[in-house]
Structures are given as C-alpha cells and as structure tokens.
Amino acid sequence: MFLLGEILSTIIMIILLIPGLFAIYFFFFDRRQQSHSVLRNYPIIGRIRYFLEHIGPELRQYWFINDNDGQPFSRKDYQDIVIPAKYNKRLLGFGSKRNFEEPGFYIKNTMFPKQSDELRMDQEPKIMTKVYEIDKELLFARKEHREDRLIDPYLLTDEDAVVIGPNCRYPFRLKGLIGMSGMSYGALGERAIEALSTGLGRAGGTWMNTGEGGISDYHLKGNVDLIMQIGPGLFGVRTKDGEFSWELLKKKSELEQVKAIELKFAQGAKTRGGHIEAEKVTPEIAKIRNLEPYQSVDSPNRFNEFTDTVSMIEFVEEIRSVTGLPTGIKIVAGHRSELEELARIMKETGKGPDFITVDGGEGGTGATYQELADSVGLPLRSGLPLVHDVLSKFGVRDRVKIIASGKLFTPDRIAVALAMGADLVHIARAFMVTVGCIMAQVCHTNNCPVGVATTDPDLQKALSIDEKSYRVTNYLVSLREGLYNLAAASGIESPVEFSRRHIVYKDQFDRLHEINSVKGPGA
C-alpha cells in the first residue's frame, strides 16, 4: 500500500512538473528567436496570446458574436439551413430576429391571400425521407430519434415547368426552381458529392451542377439531372496538353443524366480561373481532370477558345450543335456596356446562350484571393436586375433563362431573386451545410474537420452519406414549400408568378421604393 502511494505521488509530481518544464523551455527558446517581438519580451504570456488568437474564431462563432452578426453566414443563417434539413421544419416562436430598422427588401402581402387548394402545385409522387424528432432537451445533450416520413414534393405543375433551350434537340424541363450550384469533385470530397447527388435525386425536380472539375461517378450516384460545367481549365473535356476536346465533350454529353452545359466565365468570389491545392489532386481527381496527381492547379483567367463576344457566341452555338443540349454561360455582372453588347449581338444574329447564370459578388468558393472576394463583381441584387433589364431592353429576354446565385439560402431570399428577374436559383454553400459543413473556412487547406471540403480519406470518415443525403432532401423540399407559402401570402398561385410588383425596398429612413420594370419575356 505504501509503495502504491509513493508511485502515485511520483506520477502526480511528474504531471505537475511537465507544464513547468515546457514553460522554462519556451522562456529560453522564445527569448532567442527572431521572428516574433511579443515572444521575445513576454515568452509565456505571448504563447497564451497566440493560443487565444488561434481559437478566437471558434469562440466568436459560438459564444460572443450576436446571432445575426457573423460573416459570411451568421449563426441565424446557419440555423435557417440546419433546422429545415434535419427536422424539415421552419417554424419559430415569439418573433423575428431580423433588424427591421435596417434597410432591406420586403415581400408585399395581400389582404386576400390564396388558400392551399388555390395554388398550382404538383404533390406527386410523394417523397420518403427521414427526419429527426426531439424527445428532450438537456443541458449537455439532446435526446432525439430519427423516423421515416412521407412528405409532399411541392413541385411545379406541368404548365408552369421551366424549359431551358426549348428549341434544342434535347430541351431541359424542370418542375422545381431550385438546384445545386457548381461544386467540383476535388473542391468537395467524394462522400459529400455522393450525399448531395443522392439527396437531390430523391427530392426530384431539381439538378446538380458538376462544377468545373468534370463529371465523377459520385455525381452520377443519385441519378439526379446534371448541368455539366466547363471552366477555362477545360477539366473533363481537355486533352493531356490542355486543348479542348470535342470528342470528350460529345462523349460526356451523351450520358443520360447530363441535361445542359454551362461555360463558367466567373463566379462571385473569384472572377478568375479556379484553384485547387496539390494535396487535393488525388490520382482519381487527376484522371477525371486529365492532370498530373498532387500538383496545384490554376485555371486560366478566361477561355482561350474565344476572345470576344462574337467568338464566344459562336463557341456556344457549336457546343449546342455538337451536343444538342441547352448551353449557357455563368457570369458575374460588371460593365453594363459588355452586357449590352451581348444582348445586341444576340438580337442581331438570333444566336446566343440558352441560359445565363448570374452569380453575385457575395458568392462562395473553395479558394480565392481576398481582393477578388471582397471587391470585384457586383452583388447579386445589383447584378441580377441589371442583366434582366439589359436583355429586356434589347428584346431577347424571352429567349434566355436567368439562373440567380449568391446566398439564396431561404425561401424569402429566393422569392426576392425571382421577383428581380430570375427564372431559377442556384445554391452552393447552404447545401454544404446540409452535409455537415460547420463554416470552419478552411476549404482551401484540405483540412475540413467534418469531411466535406476535403479529399483526405480519414477526415471524410466523419461524413455519413446516407444520413446527410436525407438532410439534403429535406432542405430542398422545405425551400420549395416556403416558396409556395410566400406565393400564397402575395396572392399569386405559383412562385413562377413573382415579379417586381411583389417586392419593395425600405431604406434607412423607412421610405418605400418600388422596383421599376416588371419581370417577363420581352418586358
């Protein structure tokens, strides 16, 4: 017994000595190093400072920042995604957390809203999903269980279905207004891509944009319709030397799930070519993109296949001719003069893209530079109406569908975008949240702690494909339901009827500003 006591005492002394030894080591080491001034003068306190600085983002995110204040998404924004995805609910009690003193857009309600049976919507086929039910909230845990549930799909009727490229050999017909924006395999890991594909496919009436990294087997897993995105790097349709391959394009376009092709000129957070770190370029990703494994990749800033608007339109026409698929472009609105040139040439030649994806400067990315993310490209609510109005001015709006993208993660945000001129909506980061993203903002490092934006097989073990796929389904269907709720409140029978007369802007002085011009073909 005495011996055991001495052993325990010795162990305790060693444990107590370890921090002291570390402190002595850091004291003498930091006094001699040349890199950090604080550590030279205050070795111990300086180490504590760096530790607190390192965990500062997490402390602010969970403890100190107001629910409405975080960027790029606040805590409330995060909950507005997670709760519908996990519980298929958007109900709240007591009141809104929105600051009504600030300027912003509002949706006009009518004194005579529509009843449910007056709305035009298709509620077949039903969707079998899984949702969580909370049994009890405890101080350190939540007791809940998951159960099967049959839910309504909230699809558009056949008469309201949106058709992209009606004059193409293979038009793309959609009974849902919301789809997934471009997120490449490589930017996201295979488990995230598969969960997204499966969840979207289960929901139906939607699509998945492949991102510029090419089509992988994981995109195809859920049997969801695909928009194949092609960026300036030509991944998936390039030769080993980096030249555009018409043969590969035709081969990929013949996949049954590929319904449209999008040429990505820019995205909101990076009006430049894409970037992917070397450690993310696994042999499988390198094979899909026709690259060398484990080498950093920077796409060119623009396509080398065309140099101006005329040659760009000819390239679009050739892709449409070869594939028979609707072909569009993804842009970030900038110069009005460039948009007017595009619309004028479309009017004069009768040619042009079947759809234009308008991304806002607030859009996300896996990797970009601060100066591009913060200050280049117009925000969506400035760029979207600009594109719509320019196309309308030249009388070509009825020939092209507009897809809006940029933090459209709740039904009310989507409704405002539809009212401003969008026909369809793209969502990216919110879908990342549905498969587990906690907004750690380390997407570019391959160290995503929840296995979403990483190709590291060990980190990806955190992501359960089956469980997260149901969250994707629930979130998308919840958004569609919310759109119909807003349509009813506005006195219209379907979300496709939203126009600028249904929204108003309130400034900081509580003055109301009507939004000029009305959405519609040739308006």
Side-chain angles (χ1 to χ4, degrees):
M1 198 71 174
F2 177 74
L3 181 61
L4 179 61
E6 283 206 346
I7 292 172
L8 289 174
S9 298
T10 303
I11 292 172
I12 291 170
M13 287 181 63
I14 292 172
I15 292 173
L16 293 173
L17 278 172
I18 288 172
L21 292 172
F22 270 109
I24 293 168
Y25 169 78
F26 285 132
F27 183 85
F28 287 104
F29 175 81
D30 290 338
R31 284 285 190 182
R32 290 177 173 84
Q33 56 80 36
Q34 301 293 318
S35 301
H36 303 285
S37 301
V38 171
L39 292 179
R40 281 174 66 80
N41 285 341
Y42 309 100
I44 308 303
I45 294 175
R47 288 282 173 180
I48 296 172
R49 172 181 177 269
Y50 282 120
F51 169 73
L52 293 174
E53 186 178 52
H54 184 72
I55 66 171
E58 287 79 11
L59 291 175
R60 288 189 290 273
Q61 180 179 359
Y62 293 106
W63 285 9
F64 302 125
I65 288 184
N66 182 285
D67 283 351
N68 289 317
D69 289 345
Q71 291 293 346
F73 287 78
S74 69
R75 190 69 188 166
K76 179 185 179 299
D77 296 337
Y78 181 76
Q79 291 172 336
D80 286 342
I81 300 164
V82 170
I83 291 174
K86 189 174 182 181
Y87 305 103
N88 195 33
K89 294 177 181 177
R90 293 185 320 284
L91 294 173
L92 58 81
F94 198 67
S96 171
K97 290 184 178 180
R98 178 174 182 173
N99 185 348
F100 292 92
E101 301 298 318
E102 293 181 348
F105 284 93
Y106 289 84
I107 298 166
K108 297 178 183 177
N109 65 299
T110 177
M111 290 192 293
F112 307 102
K114 296 292 182 183
Q115 302 281 26
S116 295
D117 58 2
E118 295 178 301
L119 297 173
R120 296 195 308 271
M121 57 185 171
D122 189 347
Q123 297 289 36
E124 297 293 339
K126 306 297 185 190
I127 300 169
M128 179 58 73
T129 187
K130 295 180 185 292
V131 300
Y132 282 88
E133 287 291 335
I134 298 174
D135 301 315
K136 187 181 291 186
E137 287 277 7
L138 303 172
L139 184 60
F140 292 105
R142 176 188 296 130
K143 288 188 177 181
E144 56 190 5
H145 69 277
R146 195 168 68 148
E147 60 184 40
D148 294 334
R149 185 169 298 173
L150 199 63
I151 61 174
D152 292 325
Y154 292 93
L155 295 170
L156 302 174
T157 59
D158 290 336
E159 64 184 289
D160 288 331
V162 177
V163 181
I164 303 176
N167 298 320
C168 295
R169 292 201 302 276
Y170 309 108
F172 186 20
R173 189 169 178 273
L174 288 158
K175 294 187 68 175
L177 299 175
I178 307 161
M180 193 191 93
S181 190
M183 292 191 287
S184 302
Y185 172 43
L188 303 189
E190 62 267 21
R191 296 177 73 85
I193 294 291
E194 184 174 340
L196 289 162
S197 173
T198 304
L200 293 168
R202 183 185 297 115
T206 188
W207 68 95
M208 183 181 198
N209 190 305
T210 64
E212 63 179 302
I215 300 172
S216 71
D217 291 340
Y218 312 105
H219 288 100
L220 302 172
K221 286 280 188 177
N223 197 33
V224 63
D225 290 338
L226 299 178
I227 295 179
M228 182 174 74
Q229 187 183 87
I230 302 172
L234 309 177
F235 305 128
V237 292
R238 60 176 261 157
T239 65
K240 200 73 173 178
D241 297 327
E243 299 296 320
F244 189 85
S245 170
W246 292 99
E247 181 183 351
L248 282 173
L249 172 71
K250 193 169 191 312
K251 180 181 178 181
K252 297 293 175 62
S253 69
E254 289 171 350
L255 290 170
E256 184 180 356
Q257 288 171 238
V258 177
K259 304 297 185 184
I261 295 170
E262 178 183 82
L263 301 178
K264 192 191 91 166
F265 294 178
Q267 70 185 77
K270 54 179 180 188
T271 51
R272 61 181 285 272
H275 172 84
I276 183 169
E277 288 293 326
E279 56 193 309
K280 279 192 169 186
V281 187
T282 64
E284 184 179 17
I285 290 166
K287 182 178 178 181
I288 293 168
R289 299 189 181 205
N290 215 352
L291 300 168
E292 293 298 323
Y294 301 115
Q295 291 188 10
S296 294
V297 183
D298 282 293
S299 302
N301 270 356
R302 62 172 176 79
F303 285 84
N304 293 318
E305 285 64 33
F306 46 84
T307 56
D308 55 22
T309 305
V310 173
S311 55
M312 177 271 287
I313 288 178
E314 291 300 328
F315 191 68
V316 167
E317 292 288 320
E318 191 168 0
I319 288 178
R320 185 192 297 114
S321 175
V322 168
T323 65
L325 297 175
T327 304
I329 60 176
K330 180 175 183 177
I331 65 171
V332 177
H335 290 285
R336 172 185 284 270
S337 58
E338 291 184 342
L339 295 170
E340 289 184 339
E341 181 184 23
L342 170 62
R344 177 181 58 77
I345 294 172
M346 288 176 63
K347 180 179 181 180
E348 292 174 353
T349 63
K351 301 176 181 180
D354 297 297
F355 65 95
I356 299 176
T357 300
V358 182
D359 199 10
E362 65 272 48
T365 179
T368 190
Y369 297 106
Q370 169 272 320
E371 60 272 19
L372 296 176
D374 286 351
S375 300
V376 179
L378 295 177
L380 181 66
R381 287 177 176 172
S382 300
L384 171 60
L386 174 61
V387 173
H388 167 77
D389 290 346
V390 167
L391 294 174
S392 299
K393 174 184 173 182
F394 284 85
V396 295
R397 177 65 181 87
D398 58 329
R399 288 168 35 194
V400 57
K401 294 295 185 286
I402 295 178
I403 306 176
S405 178
K407 296 183 77 172
L408 301 176
F409 54 88
T410 57
D412 50 319
R413 286 171 175 259
I414 294 169
V416 170
L418 295 174
M420 285 184 142
D423 298 291
L424 300 163
V425 164
H426 266 162
I427 297 175
R429 284 173 292 181
F431 277 125
M432 288 177 64
V433 171
T434 65
V435 294
C437 170
I438 59 171
M439 305 187 298
Q441 298 185 46
V442 292
C443 308
H444 58 296
T445 67
N446 207 36
N447 293 320
C448 175
V450 290
V452 177
T454 178
T455 56
D456 186 311
D458 291 328
L459 290 172
Q460 286 194 74
K461 290 176 183 176
L463 199 159
S464 168
I465 295 172
D466 178 72
E467 199 271 345
K468 299 304 183 186
S469 73
Y470 285 104
R471 297 199 188 196
V472 175
T473 301
N474 296 337
Y475 174 63
L476 176 61
V477 175
S478 178
L479 290 177
R480 296 196 300 225
E481 180 186 9
L483 277 180
Y484 271 103
N485 287 344
L486 292 170
S490 300
I492 55 180
E493 297 176 0
S494 172
V496 299
E497 295 180 5
F498 274 115
S499 67
R500 293 187 189 178
R501 65 187 178 88
H502 295 112
I503 59 175
V504 67
Y505 182 80
K506 182 193 81 71
D507 67 20
Q508 65 269 36
F509 303 108
D510 293 327
R511 295 175 302 200
L512 300 181
H513 302 270
E514 298 293 333
I515 312 301
N516 295 326
S517 179
V518 178
K519 174 187 172 185

